[in-house]
């Protein structure tokens, strides 16, 4: 029995587009600090952030970097030690919410652990937030159904949470957050309790729901793939600070620091020295040869010393005459669509190897490798496009 007046007859209708806010909320965070105890290192340390209306905004960083603390300050569960948080609402008014109780912020929250009430049905779980807002019965029924259709769970409205899979429970938790039509949706590692296959499926599903709903969303994760595949904007945090902000492809292709380059996927570092720069091009000398970069020398590169970051997939096998780097494949792991290899580079004449014990080594990812290329023991010549030669302060 549908608990809200009329039976649900239609199983699994196509997902419903959620009603969009006329103007989504923007979030302005200024000089935000959270220190849990006097004298301790701040968990959030002077964060300034502007989150655009309707953005799917990710806070990404390793465990303990402060992303949950920041999210919980936006939700109102944690009071900041200093700084401010403001929501710019549809009418253009800026509302300072820094010390406002959570129930007065109109935010919807989804937790890693789902946090559904086990004694209530799916529909009752979703309806709860509307009941305490004293929404009329007709409107409540309509909105619960609408939210459940959005997450494609209307056919299971009468189930109890313990009769649902983890992925289904998380869909219900999302419907429960959406049903109140929040100004801001907050998601705290919502996929981390799910297995890899389900995580992949739900990534695109959650992105679709967030973008269709138009609600400004802040999403916390430590999983780079999740952030790269879903986000409009990603803020990378380390030790309570914001270290880089931008769209996923910019962060991946143009990391500004060693930390970001390493945290977002795999990379190779080669120490280098600038030998020429101008007209947007930089020539670098490394122990393994000269490389041309399409990027300027980083402003903070002292004395022309830089670290060159080369992604494994940016290295392209070429005929010897076209190569910038030459070496020998010393390890190869064939994985079907790619082969992951280690290449020991031949040092150029007169250059000291990076480590006295060995020549520089690079990780290489070969897409669709031919059988003779997918083994170790042969010489290889590699080129890299100047755009993929990323320069980082040494
Ligand atoms: P994770 O991915 O592991 O959840 P996180 O990036 O979300 O990590 P936070 O949970 O925000 O990080 O924690 C940031 C820092 O603040 C950590 O050093 C943590 O130990 C500390 N911390 C978090 N909550 C408290 C608390 N209630 N009291 C004291 N210290 C805390």
């Amino acid at each position: 029995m549908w608990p809200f007046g009329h039976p649900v007859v239609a199983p699994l209708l196509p997902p419903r587009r959620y009603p969009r806010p006329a103007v989504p909320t923007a979030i302005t965070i200024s000089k935000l600090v959270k220190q849990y105890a006097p004298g301790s290192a701040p968990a959030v340390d002077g964060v300034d952030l502007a989150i655009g209306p309707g953005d799917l905004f990710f806070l990404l960083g390793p465990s303990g970097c402060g992303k949950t603390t920041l999210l919980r300050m936006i939700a109102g569960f944690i009071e900041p030690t200093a700084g401010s948080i403001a929501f710019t609402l549809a009418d253009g008014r800026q509302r300072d919410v820094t010390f406002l109780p959570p129930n007065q912020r109109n935010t919807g929250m989804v937790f890693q652990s789902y946090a559904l009430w086990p004694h209530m049905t799916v529909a009752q779980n979703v309806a709860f937030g509307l009941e305490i807002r004293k929404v009329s019965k007709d409107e409540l029924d309509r909105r619960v159904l609408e939210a459940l259709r959005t997450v494609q769970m209307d056919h299971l409205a009468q189930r109890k949470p313990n009769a649902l899979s983890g992925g289904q429970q998380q869909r219900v938790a999302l419907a429960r957050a959406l049903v109140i039509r929040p100004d801001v949706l907050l998601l705290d590692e919502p996929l981390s309790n799910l297995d890899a296959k389900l995580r992949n499926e739900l990534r695109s599903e959650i992105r679709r729901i967030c973008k269709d709903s138009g609600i400004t969303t802040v999403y916390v994760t430590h999983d780079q793939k999740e952030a790269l595949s879903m986000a409009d904007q990603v803020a990378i945090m380390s030790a309570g600070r914001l270290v880089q902000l931008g769209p996923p492809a910019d962060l991946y292709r143009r990391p500004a620091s060693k930390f970001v380059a390493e945290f977002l996927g795999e990379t190779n570092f080669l120490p280098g020295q600038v030998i020429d720069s101008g007209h947007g091009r930089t020539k670098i000398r490394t122990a393994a040869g000269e490389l041309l970069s399409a990027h300027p020398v980083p402003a903070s590169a002292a004395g022309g010393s830089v670290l060159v970051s080369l992604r494994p997939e940016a290295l392209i096998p070429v005929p010897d005459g076209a190569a910038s780097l030459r070496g020998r494949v010393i390890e190869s792991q064939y994985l079907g669509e790619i082969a992951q290899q280690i290449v020991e580079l031949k040092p150029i004449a007169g250059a000291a190897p990076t480590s006295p014990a060995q020549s520089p080594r690079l990780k290489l990812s070969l897409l669709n490798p031919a059988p003779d290329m997918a083994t170790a023991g042969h010489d290889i010549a590699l080129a890299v496009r100047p755009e993929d030669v990323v320069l980082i302060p040494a």
Side-chain angles (χ1 to χ4, degrees):
M1 250 318 267
W2 174 249
F4 301 104
H6 53 82
V8 176
V9 278
L12 252 194
L13 292 171
R16 184 63 75 80
R17 208 164 227 260
Y18 206 71
R20 301 173 68 87
V23 183
T25 302
I27 306 173
T28 309
I29 293 172
S30 308
K31 298 183 175 50
L32 201 66
V33 175
K34 177 65 191 180
Q35 196 173 23
Y36 281 105
S40 66
V44 169
D45 191 5
V47 166
D48 288 307
L49 209 51
I51 300 177
D55 270 0
L56 178 46
F57 191 98
F58 271 64
L59 297 173
L60 173 69
S63 183
C65 71
K67 50 197 188 297
T68 304
T69 301
L70 178 52
L71 189 82
R72 286 174 170 264
M73 286 195 281
I74 300 173
F77 299 137
I78 294 177
E79 276 200 358
T81 311
S84 67
I85 304 171
F87 291 173
T88 306
L89 302 175
D91 57 9
R93 258 183 324 124
Q94 261 223 353
R95 186 180 188 212
D96 186 332
V97 299
T98 315
F99 296 105
L100 204 64
N103 60 354
Q104 292 175 29
R105 295 188 186 205
N106 201 30
T107 56
M109 184 113 182
V110 177
F111 301 91
Q112 180 179 338
S113 58
Y114 325 130
L116 299 175
W117 291 288
H119 60 289
M120 293 185 186
T121 63
V122 162
Q124 287 164 341
N125 264 281
V126 176
F128 187 77
L130 297 179
E131 279 168 0
I132 56 175
R133 283 171 173 77
K134 306 263 182 283
V135 168
S136 75
K137 181 94 176 74
D138 280 357
E139 189 183 345
L140 180 144
D141 285 358
R142 192 172 46 73
R143 281 171 62 176
V144 169
L145 184 57
E146 183 178 73
L148 286 175
R149 278 190 187 165
T150 302
V151 299
Q152 295 187 279
M153 284 294 292
D154 44 316
H155 61 306
L156 296 176
Q158 295 134 71
R159 287 256 181 104
K160 292 272 178 65
N162 62 8
L164 299 175
S165 70
Q168 289 170 333
Q169 289 187 56
Q170 203 51 303
R171 284 170 192 265
V172 177
L174 190 57
R176 188 178 58 177
L178 283 170
V179 80
I180 60 161
R181 298 199 178 143
D183 294 324
V184 174
L185 186 61
L186 303 169
L187 306 174
D188 189 0
E189 306 242 15
L191 303 183
S192 54
N193 278 350
L194 305 176
D195 66 45
K197 186 166 174 290
L198 203 52
R199 263 203 314 267
N200 280 346
E201 278 171 31
L202 274 182
R203 277 179 195 163
S204 49
E205 183 76 358
I206 291 183
R207 178 167 167 91
R208 173 188 69 76
I209 292 166
C210 291
K211 296 313 290 181
D212 276 1
S213 76
I215 298 169
T216 308
T217 302
V218 187
Y219 188 123
V220 159
T221 185
H222 61 268
D223 181 333
Q224 322 92 17
K225 290 259 159 44
E226 216 163 285
L228 290 176
S229 63
M230 294 175 69
D232 293 322
Q233 295 281 328
V234 182
I236 299 190
M237 293 182 69
S238 169
R241 291 176 177 267
L242 200 72
V243 289
Q244 198 173 348
L245 169 68
D250 284 9
L251 295 182
Y252 187 79
R253 300 184 66 83
R254 296 289 310 275
S257 61
K258 191 165 185 262
F259 173 82
V260 173
E262 276 178 317
F263 187 71
L264 281 184
E266 284 206 276
T267 196
N268 297 289
F269 293 117
L270 281 178
Q273 190 67 31
V274 176
I275 50 178
D276 190 23
S277 70
H279 308 291
R281 301 235 137 186
T282 305
K283 206 187 263 185
I284 310 291
R285 185 180 167 85
T286 74
E290 279 180 17
L291 291 168
L292 187 64
S293 169
H295 306 295
V297 182
S300 53
S305 290
V306 290
L307 211 49
V308 180
S309 167
L310 303 170
R311 297 278 185 204
E313 70 278 12
L315 298 162
I316 311 156
V318 289
D320 193 70
S324 338
L325 301 165
R326 289 172 187 80
R328 191 166 184 78
V329 178
I330 58 166
E331 269 179 54
S332 183
Q333 195 176 26
Y334 180 68
L335 298 170
E337 81 280 20
I338 62 164
Q340 289 178 337
Q341 304 190 321
I342 305 286
V343 176
E344 190 167 271
L345 295 173
K346 293 197 174 117
I348 53 169
T354 42
S355 136
Q358 56 182 206
S359 301
R361 290 181 175 186
L362 297 183
K363 283 178 245 164
L364 167 66
S365 294
L366 282 186
L367 192 63
N368 192 21
D372 59 328
M373 291 293 283
T375 52
H378 58 276
D379 285 345
I380 193 165
L382 297 167
V384 52
R385 296 185 311 156
E387 308 85 84
D388 294 330
V389 178
V390 175
L391 306 180
I392 287 170

